[in-house]
Coordinates of all heavy atoms in Angstrom, one line a residue:
Chain B
R1228 N 56.8 -48.6 91.2 CA 56.4 -47.2 91.5 C 57.6 -46.3 91.7 O 58.5 -46.6 92.4 CB 55.5 -47.2 92.8 CG 54.0 -47.6 92.5 CD 53.2 -47.5 93.8 NE 53.8 -48.4 94.8 CZ 53.4 -48.4 96.1 NH1 52.5 -47.6 96.5 NH2 53.9 -49.3 96.9
G1229 N 57.5 -45.1 91.1 CA 58.6 -44.2 91.2 C 59.6 -44.2 90.1 O 60.4 -43.3 89.9
Q1230 N 59.6 -45.3 89.3 CA 60.6 -45.4 88.3 C 60.1 -44.7 87.0 O 59.0 -44.2 87.0 CB 60.8 -46.9 87.9 CG 61.6 -47.7 89.0 CD 61.9 -49.1 88.6 OE1 61.1 -49.8 88.0 NE2 63.1 -49.5 88.9
E1231 N 60.9 -44.7 86.0 CA 60.6 -44.0 84.8 C 60.3 -45.0 83.7 O 60.9 -46.1 83.7 CB 61.7 -43.1 84.3 CG 61.4 -42.4 83.0 CD 62.6 -41.5 82.5 OE1 62.8 -40.4 83.1 OE2 63.3 -42.0 81.6
A1232 N 59.3 -44.7 82.8 CA 59.0 -45.6 81.7 C 59.2 -44.8 80.4 O 58.8 -43.7 80.3 CB 57.5 -46.1 81.8
R1233 N 59.8 -45.5 79.5 CA 60.0 -44.9 78.1 C 59.5 -45.8 77.1 O 59.9 -47.0 77.0 CB 61.5 -44.6 77.9 CG 62.0 -43.5 78.6 CD 63.4 -43.0 78.1 NE 63.9 -41.9 78.8 CZ 64.7 -41.0 78.3 NH1 65.0 -41.0 77.0 NH2 65.1 -40.0 79.1
L1234 N 58.6 -45.3 76.3 CA 57.9 -46.1 75.2 C 58.3 -45.5 73.9 O 58.3 -44.3 73.7 CB 56.4 -46.2 75.4 CG 55.9 -46.5 76.8 CD1 54.4 -46.4 76.9 CD2 56.4 -47.9 77.2
R1235 N 58.7 -46.4 72.9 CA 59.1 -45.9 71.7 C 58.2 -46.2 70.5 O 57.5 -47.3 70.6 CB 60.5 -46.4 71.4 CG 61.6 -45.9 72.3 CD 62.9 -46.6 72.1 NE 63.9 -46.2 73.1 CZ 63.9 -46.7 74.4 NH1 63.0 -47.5 74.8 NH2 64.8 -46.2 75.2
C1236 N 58.2 -45.4 69.5 CA 57.3 -45.6 68.4 C 57.9 -45.1 67.1 O 58.3 -44.0 67.0 CB 56.0 -44.9 68.6 SG 54.9 -44.8 67.1
S1237 N 58.1 -46.1 66.2 CA 58.5 -45.7 64.8 C 57.4 -45.7 63.9 O 56.7 -46.8 63.7 CB 59.6 -46.7 64.4 OG 60.8 -46.6 65.2
P1238 N 57.0 -44.6 63.2 CA 55.9 -44.6 62.4 C 56.1 -45.4 61.1 O 57.2 -45.8 60.8 CB 55.7 -43.1 62.0 CG 57.1 -42.5 62.2 CD 57.7 -43.3 63.3
M1239 N 55.1 -45.5 60.3 CA 55.2 -46.2 59.0 C 56.1 -45.3 58.1 O 56.1 -44.1 58.3 CB 53.8 -46.4 58.4 CG 53.0 -47.5 59.0 SD 51.4 -47.7 58.2 CE 51.9 -48.3 56.6
K1240 N 56.7 -46.0 57.2 CA 57.6 -45.3 56.3 C 56.8 -44.3 55.5 O 55.7 -44.6 55.0 CB 58.2 -46.3 55.3 CG 59.3 -45.8 54.4 CD 59.9 -46.9 53.6 CE 61.0 -46.3 52.7 NZ 61.6 -47.3 51.8
G1241 N 57.3 -43.1 55.5 CA 56.6 -42.0 54.7 C 55.6 -41.3 55.6 O 55.0 -40.3 55.1
H1242 N 55.4 -41.7 56.8 CA 54.5 -41.0 57.7 C 55.2 -40.0 58.6 O 56.2 -40.4 59.2 CB 53.7 -42.0 58.6 CG 52.6 -42.7 57.8 ND1 51.7 -43.5 58.5 CD2 52.4 -42.8 56.5 CE1 50.9 -44.0 57.6 NE2 51.3 -43.7 56.4
S1243 N 54.7 -38.8 58.7 CA 55.4 -37.8 59.5 C 54.6 -37.3 60.7 O 54.9 -36.4 61.4 CB 55.8 -36.6 58.6 OG 54.6 -36.0 58.0
H1244 N 53.4 -37.9 60.9 CA 52.5 -37.5 62.0 C 52.3 -38.7 62.9 O 52.0 -39.8 62.5 CB 51.1 -37.1 61.4 CG 51.2 -36.0 60.4 ND1 50.8 -34.7 60.8 CD2 51.7 -35.9 59.2 CE1 51.0 -33.9 59.7 NE2 51.5 -34.6 58.8
V1245 N 52.5 -38.5 64.2 CA 52.5 -39.5 65.2 C 51.5 -39.2 66.3 O 51.4 -38.0 66.7 CB 53.9 -39.8 65.8 CG1 53.8 -40.6 67.1 CG2 54.8 -40.5 64.8
Y1246 N 50.7 -40.1 66.7 CA 49.7 -39.9 67.8 C 49.9 -41.0 68.8 O 50.2 -42.1 68.5 CB 48.3 -40.1 67.2 CG 48.1 -39.4 65.8 CD1 48.5 -40.0 64.7 CD2 47.6 -38.1 65.8 CE1 48.4 -39.4 63.4 CE2 47.5 -37.4 64.6 CZ 47.8 -38.1 63.4 OH 47.7 -37.5 62.2
W1247 N 49.7 -40.6 70.1 CA 49.7 -41.6 71.2 C 48.3 -41.6 71.8 O 47.7 -40.6 72.1 CB 50.7 -41.2 72.2 CG 52.2 -41.4 71.9 CD1 53.0 -40.5 71.3 CD2 52.9 -42.6 72.1 NE1 54.3 -41.1 71.1 CE2 54.2 -42.4 71.6 CE3 52.6 -43.9 72.6 CZ2 55.2 -43.3 71.6 CZ3 53.6 -44.8 72.7 CH2 54.9 -44.6 72.1
Y1248 N 47.9 -42.9 72.1 CA 46.7 -43.1 72.7 C 46.9 -44.0 73.9 O 47.9 -44.9 73.9 CB 45.7 -43.9 71.8 CG 45.0 -43.0 70.8 CD1 45.6 -42.5 69.7 CD2 43.6 -42.6 71.0 CE1 45.0 -41.7 68.8 CE2 43.0 -41.8 70.1 CZ 43.6 -41.3 69.0 OH 43.0 -40.5 68.1
R1249 N 46.1 -43.9 74.9 CA 46.2 -44.8 76.1 C 44.9 -45.6 76.3 O 43.8 -45.0 76.1 CB 46.5 -44.0 77.4 CG 46.6 -44.8 78.6 CD 47.2 -44.0 79.8 NE 46.3 -42.9 80.2 CZ 46.6 -42.2 81.4 NH1 47.6 -42.5 82.1 NH2 45.8 -41.2 81.7
Q1250 N 45.0 -46.8 76.6 CA 43.9 -47.6 76.9 C 44.0 -48.2 78.3 O 44.8 -49.1 78.6 CB 43.7 -48.8 75.9 CG 42.4 -49.6 76.1 CD 42.3 -50.7 75.1 OE1 43.2 -51.2 74.6 NE2 41.0 -51.0 74.8
L1251 N 43.2 -47.6 79.2 CA 43.2 -48.2 80.6 C 42.4 -49.5 80.6 O 41.5 -49.7 79.7 CB 42.6 -47.1 81.5 CG 43.4 -45.8 81.7 CD1 42.6 -44.8 82.4 CD2 44.7 -46.1 82.5
P1252 N 42.5 -50.3 81.6 CA 41.8 -51.6 81.7 C 40.3 -51.3 81.6 O 39.7 -50.4 82.2 CB 42.2 -52.1 83.0 CG 43.5 -51.6 83.3 CD 43.5 -50.2 82.7
E1253 N 39.6 -52.1 80.7 CA 38.2 -52.1 80.6 C 37.7 -50.7 79.9 O 36.5 -50.4 80.1 CB 37.5 -52.3 81.9 CG 37.9 -53.5 82.7 CD 37.4 -54.8 82.0 OE1 36.3 -54.8 81.5 OE2 38.2 -55.7 81.9
E1254 N 38.6 -50.0 79.3 CA 38.2 -48.7 78.7 C 38.5 -48.7 77.2 O 39.3 -49.5 76.7 CB 38.9 -47.6 79.4 CG 38.6 -47.4 80.9 CD 37.2 -46.8 81.1 OE1 36.8 -46.0 80.3 OE2 36.5 -47.3 82.1
G1255 N 38.0 -47.7 76.5 CA 38.4 -47.5 75.1 C 39.7 -46.7 75.1 O 40.2 -46.2 76.1
L1256 N 40.3 -46.6 73.9 CA 41.5 -45.9 73.7 C 41.2 -44.4 73.8 O 40.1 -43.9 73.4 CB 42.0 -46.1 72.3 CG 42.8 -47.4 72.0 CD1 41.9 -48.6 71.9 CD2 43.7 -47.2 70.8
K1257 N 42.1 -43.7 74.5 CA 41.9 -42.2 74.7 C 43.1 -41.5 74.1 O 44.2 -41.8 74.4 CB 41.7 -41.9 76.1 CG 40.3 -42.3 76.6 CD 40.0 -41.8 78.0 CE 38.5 -42.0 78.4 NZ 38.0 -43.3 78.1
F1258 N 42.8 -40.4 73.3 CA 43.9 -39.6 72.7 C 44.7 -38.9 73.8 O 44.2 -38.4 74.8 CB 43.2 -38.5 71.8 CG 44.2 -37.5 71.4 CD1 45.0 -37.7 70.3 CD2 44.2 -36.2 72.0 CE1 45.9 -36.7 69.9 CE2 45.1 -35.3 71.6 CZ 45.9 -35.5 70.5
M1259 N 46.0 -38.9 73.6 CA 46.9 -38.3 74.5 C 47.6 -37.1 73.8 O 47.5 -35.9 74.2 CB 48.0 -39.2 75.0 CG 47.5 -40.4 75.8 SD 48.8 -41.4 76.4 CE 49.5 -40.4 77.7
V1260 N 48.3 -37.4 72.7 CA 49.2 -36.3 72.1 C 49.4 -36.6 70.6 O 49.4 -37.7 70.2 CB 50.5 -36.2 72.8 CG1 51.3 -37.5 72.7 CG2 51.4 -35.1 72.4
Y1261 N 49.6 -35.5 69.9 CA 49.8 -35.5 68.4 C 51.1 -34.8 68.2 O 51.3 -33.6 68.6 CB 48.6 -34.9 67.7 CG 48.8 -34.5 66.3 CD1 49.7 -35.1 65.4 CD2 48.1 -33.4 65.8 CE1 49.8 -34.7 64.1 CE2 48.3 -32.9 64.5 CZ 49.1 -33.6 63.6 OH 49.3 -33.2 62.3
L1262 N 52.0 -35.4 67.5 CA 53.3 -34.8 67.2 C 53.7 -34.9 65.7 O 53.3 -35.9 65.0 CB 54.4 -35.5 68.0 CG 54.2 -35.7 69.5 CD1 53.9 -37.2 69.8 CD2 55.5 -35.3 70.2
Q1263 N 54.4 -33.9 65.3 CA 55.1 -34.0 64.0 C 56.6 -33.9 64.4 O 56.9 -33.7 65.5 CB 54.7 -32.9 63.1 CG 53.3 -33.0 62.6 CD 52.9 -31.8 61.7 OE1 53.8 -31.3 61.0 NE2 51.7 -31.4 61.7
K1264 N 57.4 -34.1 63.4 CA 58.9 -34.0 63.7 C 59.2 -32.7 64.4 O 59.0 -31.6 63.9 CB 59.7 -34.1 62.4 CG 59.7 -35.5 61.7 CD 60.6 -36.4 62.4 CE 60.8 -37.7 61.7 NZ 61.7 -38.7 62.4
E1265 N 59.8 -32.9 65.6 CA 60.3 -31.8 66.4 C 59.2 -30.8 66.9 O 59.5 -29.8 67.5 CB 61.4 -31.0 65.7 CG 62.6 -31.8 65.3 CD 63.7 -31.0 64.6 OE1 63.5 -30.7 63.4 OE2 64.7 -30.7 65.3
N1266 N 58.0 -31.2 66.8 CA 56.9 -30.3 67.2 C 55.8 -31.1 67.9 O 55.4 -32.2 67.5 CB 56.3 -29.6 66.0 CG 57.1 -28.5 65.5 OD1 57.5 -27.6 66.3 ND2 57.4 -28.5 64.3
I1267 N 55.3 -30.6 69.0 CA 54.1 -31.1 69.6 C 52.9 -30.2 69.1 O 52.9 -29.0 69.3 CB 54.1 -31.0 71.1 CG1 55.3 -31.9 71.7 CG2 52.8 -31.4 71.7 CD1 55.5 -31.7 73.2
I1268 N 52.0 -30.9 68.4 CA 50.9 -30.1 67.8 C 49.7 -30.0 68.7 O 49.1 -29.0 68.8 CB 50.4 -30.8 66.5 CG1 51.6 -31.1 65.5 CG2 49.3 -30.0 65.8 CD1 52.3 -29.8 65.2
D1269 N 49.4 -31.1 69.4 CA 48.3 -31.1 70.3 C 48.5 -32.0 71.5 O 48.7 -33.2 71.2 CB 47.0 -31.5 69.6 CG 45.7 -31.5 70.4 OD1 45.8 -31.4 71.6 OD2 44.6 -31.7 69.8
E1270 N 48.6 -31.5 72.7 CA 48.9 -32.4 73.8 C 47.7 -32.3 74.8 O 47.9 -32.5 76.0 CB 50.2 -32.1 74.5 CG 50.3 -30.6 74.9 CD 51.7 -30.3 75.6 OE1 52.5 -31.3 75.9 OE2 52.0 -29.2 75.8
S1271 N 46.6 -32.0 74.3 CA 45.4 -31.8 75.2 C 45.0 -33.0 76.0 O 44.3 -32.9 77.0 CB 44.2 -31.3 74.3 OG 43.9 -32.2 73.3
G1272 N 45.4 -34.2 75.5 CA 45.0 -35.4 76.2 C 46.0 -35.9 77.2 O 45.8 -36.9 77.9
M1273 N 47.1 -35.2 77.3 CA 48.2 -35.7 78.2 C 48.0 -35.2 79.6 O 47.6 -34.0 79.8 CB 49.6 -35.1 77.7 CG 50.1 -35.7 76.4 SD 51.2 -37.0 76.8 CE 52.7 -36.1 77.0
P1274 N 48.2 -36.0 80.6 CA 48.2 -35.5 82.0 C 49.3 -34.4 82.1 O 50.3 -34.5 81.5 CB 48.6 -36.8 82.8 CG 48.2 -37.9 81.9 CD 48.4 -37.5 80.5
K1275 N 48.9 -33.5 83.0 CA 49.8 -32.3 83.1 C 51.1 -32.6 83.7 O 52.1 -31.9 83.4 CB 49.1 -31.2 83.9 CG 47.8 -30.7 83.3 CD 47.9 -30.1 82.0 CE 46.6 -29.7 81.4 NZ 46.7 -29.4 80.0
E1276 N 51.2 -33.6 84.5 CA 52.4 -33.9 85.2 C 52.9 -35.2 84.9 O 52.2 -36.2 84.6 CB 52.2 -33.8 86.8 CG 51.8 -32.4 87.2 CD 51.5 -32.3 88.7 OE1 51.4 -33.4 89.3 OE2 51.4 -31.2 89.2
R1277 N 54.2 -35.4 84.9 CA 54.9 -36.7 84.8 C 55.0 -37.2 83.4 O 55.8 -38.1 83.1 CB 54.4 -37.7 85.7 CG 54.4 -37.4 87.2 CD 54.0 -38.5 88.1 NE 52.6 -38.9 87.8 CZ 52.3 -40.1 87.2 NH1 53.2 -40.9 86.7 NH2 51.0 -40.4 87.0
F1278 N 54.1 -36.8 82.5 CA 54.1 -37.3 81.1 C 54.7 -36.3 80.1 O 54.4 -35.1 80.2 CB 52.6 -37.6 80.7 CG 52.0 -38.8 81.3 CD1 51.7 -38.9 82.6 CD2 51.8 -39.9 80.5 CE1 51.1 -40.0 83.2 CE2 51.2 -41.1 81.0 CZ 50.9 -41.1 82.4
S1279 N 55.5 -36.8 79.2 CA 56.0 -36.0 78.2 C 56.2 -36.8 76.9 O 56.3 -38.0 77.0 CB 57.4 -35.3 78.6 OG 58.3 -36.3 78.8
A1280 N 56.2 -36.1 75.8 CA 56.4 -36.9 74.5 C 57.3 -36.0 73.6 O 57.3 -34.8 73.7 CB 55.0 -37.1 73.8
E1281 N 58.0 -36.7 72.7 CA 58.8 -36.0 71.8 C 58.9 -36.9 70.5 O 58.7 -38.1 70.5 CB 60.2 -35.8 72.3 CG 61.0 -37.1 72.6 CD 62.4 -36.8 73.1 OE1 62.8 -35.6 73.3 OE2 63.2 -37.7 73.3

Side-chain angles (χ1 to χ4, degrees):
Chain B
R1228 281 181 297 171
Q1230 291 184 318
E1231 179 180 283
R1233 285 193 182 214
L1234 309 177
R1235 293 173 186 76
C1236 169
S1237 296
M1239 282 181 71
K1240 189 175 180 180
H1242 287 191
S1243 58
H1244 300 253
V1245 165
Y1246 316 84
W1247 285 93
Y1248 280 76
R1249 177 167 68 171
Q1250 185 179 30
L1251 295 168
E1253 306 291 316
E1254 297 289 325
L1256 282 76
K1257 287 186 167 49
F1258 169 80
M1259 298 181 74
V1260 62
Y1261 162 34
L1262 310 105
Q1263 293 179 29
K1264 286 283 186 182
E1265 301 184 281
N1266 283 305
I1267 296 174
I1268 308 302
D1269 181 351
E1270 56 181 349
S1271 58
M1273 286 269 275
K1275 300 298 180 194
E1276 297 177 350
R1277 301 187 298 107
F1278 284 72
S1279 63
E1281 62 177 6

